Amino acid sequence: QARWVVVGGASILDHSAYRGEFERRLLSYGADDQRAVVCTGVLSEAQITACYALADVVAAPSLREGFGLCALEALAAGVPLVASARAPFTEYLDADNAILVDPENTEELTAGLRRALSFDGRAERVQSGLLRARRFRWSNVAAEHQRLYEALLERGLREQLVEVREGRGRA
């Protein structure tokens, strides 16, 4: 009775190779299994929010990922998350808020999904996920970027001043 809903499709990364492999493999399964997989394509923000509200678990077993915004969206929606145990996910997720798995190991991915669907530790992971997602609110991200840009600008100005003092740069 399970449904696998593949949301999205737009990316700055080229996923055409493994997307093609996914589609070829899906076609090799029976009609019932094919009907259990729904590929939505690109959705509006409201539609994506509705998908998270309906989800029992979000799986992000990506082989290549730019940042993995879907992982933070899942955490913010209070949905258990299974994600790749590789960057970028490992840069901001841990075992307290997500189940991290080898995305190329079918048994590990299956066990991770089963664990996420069980109630063992689920409430604690969801609560930790909500706290982690709050750290990445747009206002927090913008403030951190501003701090970093100001530090880089200040460092650049200091380096220019040193060059001027040493006669290597222009005033």
Side-chain angles (χ1 to χ4, degrees):
Q1 296 180 16
R3 288 271 185 248
W4 179 13
V5 181
V6 181
V7 175
S11 175
I12 61 170
L13 299 175
D14 181 11
H15 297 288
S16 60
Y18 74 75
R19 179 64 188 233
E21 178 64 20
F22 165 78
E23 290 168 359
R24 282 188 293 284
R25 285 188 186 196
L26 183 58
L27 288 174
S28 73
Y29 292 107
D32 288 341
D33 290 334
Q34 288 180 32
R35 280 191 294 276
V37 178
V38 178
C39 297
T40 66
V42 177
L43 299 177
S44 71
E45 187 173 334
Q47 291 169 320
I48 290 173
T49 300
C51 285
Y52 286 121
L54 293 170
D56 293 313
V57 63
V58 168
S62 299
L63 301 178
R64 286 183 17 190
E65 191 69 55
F67 175 73
L69 186 59
C70 68
L72 286 175
E73 290 173 336
L75 297 181
V79 181
L81 173 67
V82 176
S84 296
R86 55 174 67 172
F89 299 114
T90 54
E91 295 170 3
Y92 59 90
L93 299 174
D94 58 41
D96 289 338
N97 48 53
I99 297 170
L100 300 173
V101 298
D102 176 353
E104 298 183 274
N105 183 320
T106 306
E107 291 79 23
E108 195 174 319
L109 178 57
T110 301
L113 289 168
R114 285 192 173 129
R115 188 169 155 225
L117 289 168
S118 78
F119 289 95
D120 183 32
R122 180 184 178 116
E124 293 83 2
R125 265 192 315 280
V126 166
Q127 184 61 34
S128 177
L130 290 167
L131 293 172
R132 181 62 48 98
R134 285 187 192 126
R135 288 181 41 206
F136 290 91
R137 287 183 175 157
W138 287 118
S139 58
N140 295 351
V141 171
E144 182 65 13
H145 275 83
Q146 181 176 351
R147 186 188 69 72
L148 289 170
Y149 291 151
E150 287 172 353
L152 288 171
L153 180 61
E154 183 179 318
R155 188 176 76 193
L157 291 174
R158 270 197 313 266
E159 288 172 2
Q160 285 179 356
L161 183 58
V162 167
E163 289 176 3
V164 168
R165 284 183 186 155
E166 293 175 356
R168 294 181 289 130
R170 294 185 189 167

